[in-house]
Amino acid sequence: MKPLVIAVDGPAASGKGTLARRLAKALGLPYLDTGLLYRAVARAVLDAGGNPADPALAASAARALTPAALERTDLRTPEVDRAASMVAQLPEVRAALLDFQRNFAAEHGAVLDGRDIGTVVLPDAPIKLFVTASLAERAKRRWRERKDRGEVATLAEVQAELAERDRADVERTVAPLRPAADAVLLDTTTLDVEATFRAAQAIVRERLAAMNASSLT
Ligand code: C5P
């Protein structure tokens, strides 16, 4: 039997990361936050004093990426948010990161979260979730996270930054952010972390039951 792979996609601050990590734990599967790959590439380009929009530089940083680079603690700064969104536009970077993501999933099965997991990276994943929430709610969540980290930003600034990253993700020509045709939509606008997990668990159980039933017929 093929190991189980679950794709969790959605915009920034939709709750997909927390959900994907928790699903992975509950199912005993490895977890990969694919946003970290783009963040680590962006960080490497910034460290080298380069421009994150430079395809050759960003692609060579993507090819040189090591698992240790994903452990860095400086990947979630506003500067890296912006630079990651820029390197993610580049087809060369996306191509260089594909094998890493596919190999990760193929080894023992996995839960991967990102923007294009269900559409491009793992289009054959048997379970796909597309997690959304309103822009206003996502901005509130991200603003609270930043405040807790001691960063100074207004809610309006955080909302404008998220809207810009959404626009870049949705409008890019390669691997734009959109639900796969067979993804189940999960809107977390009015759900807390626990309720989101329970809703996702119900979806996963239903899909697993359908998969088992079809493998018996
Ligand atoms: O999910 P996170 O906000 O950490 O992702 C950082 C950036 O990487 C996003 O703004 C998005 O543009 C990009 N990304 C992507 N495809 C993925 C994961 C992230 O384009 N699968």
Side-chain angles (χ1 to χ4, degrees):
M1 250 183 45
K2 274 212 247 167
L4 180 63
V5 172
I6 301 183
V8 181
D9 288 304
S14 58
K16 66 181 188 312
T18 306
L19 172 63
R21 182 174 283 111
R22 205 157 155 198
L23 275 179
K25 195 162 175 225
L27 293 162
L29 291 170
Y31 164 65
L32 180 63
D33 169 356
T34 65
L36 280 183
L37 302 173
Y38 295 90
R39 289 176 179 277
V41 170
R43 183 74 264 170
V45 172
L46 293 172
D47 287 352
N51 176 356
D54 178 338
L57 196 59
S60 91
R63 284 190 291 270
L65 208 63
T66 60
L70 307 182
E71 307 291 329
R72 288 179 61 158
T73 54
D74 53 359
L75 299 180
R76 297 203 180 275
T77 65
E79 186 192 22
V80 175
D81 283 356
R82 284 187 291 275
S85 179
M86 289 164 79
V87 302
Q89 307 288 314
L90 304 168
E92 298 86 343
V93 168
R94 306 200 72 87
L97 297 177
L98 258 188
D99 282 350
F100 180 88
Q101 298 173 82
R102 288 181 176 157
N103 292 341
F104 185 94
E107 214 174 343
H108 306 290
V111 181
L112 274 76
D113 81 56
R115 304 290 190 287
D116 63 338
I117 308 304
T119 50
V120 174
V121 178
L122 302 166
D124 296 332
I127 304 182
K128 298 177 184 175
L129 298 174
F130 192 85
V131 185
T132 58
S134 70
L135 176 63
E137 175 60 26
R138 290 186 290 119
K140 249 190 267 164
R141 292 175 189 169
R142 188 47 54 89
W143 176 73
R144 269 191 230 115
E145 272 170 32
R146 292 236 175 119
K147 209 162 114 217
D148 290 348
R149 284 203 300 254
E151 289 171 23
V152 190
T154 66
L155 180 58
E157 280 164 355
V158 173
Q159 181 157 327
E161 277 170 24
L162 277 185
E164 173 51 29
R165 285 174 64 202
D166 285 354
R167 192 201 55 72
D169 283 338
V170 169
E171 291 181 3
R172 69 175 171 234
T173 38
V174 294
L177 171 66
R178 60 176 173 79
D182 53 349
V184 180
L185 298 189
L186 181 55
D187 187 332
T188 71
T189 305
T190 59
L191 303 181
D192 63 13
V193 170
E194 193 54 40
T196 299
F197 177 63
R198 280 201 306 272
Q201 244 184 339
I203 295 166
V204 169
R205 277 205 198 102
E206 202 174 298
R207 288 291 304 139
L208 286 174
M211 284 158 64
N212 285 337
S214 70
S215 72
L216 292 174
T217 55

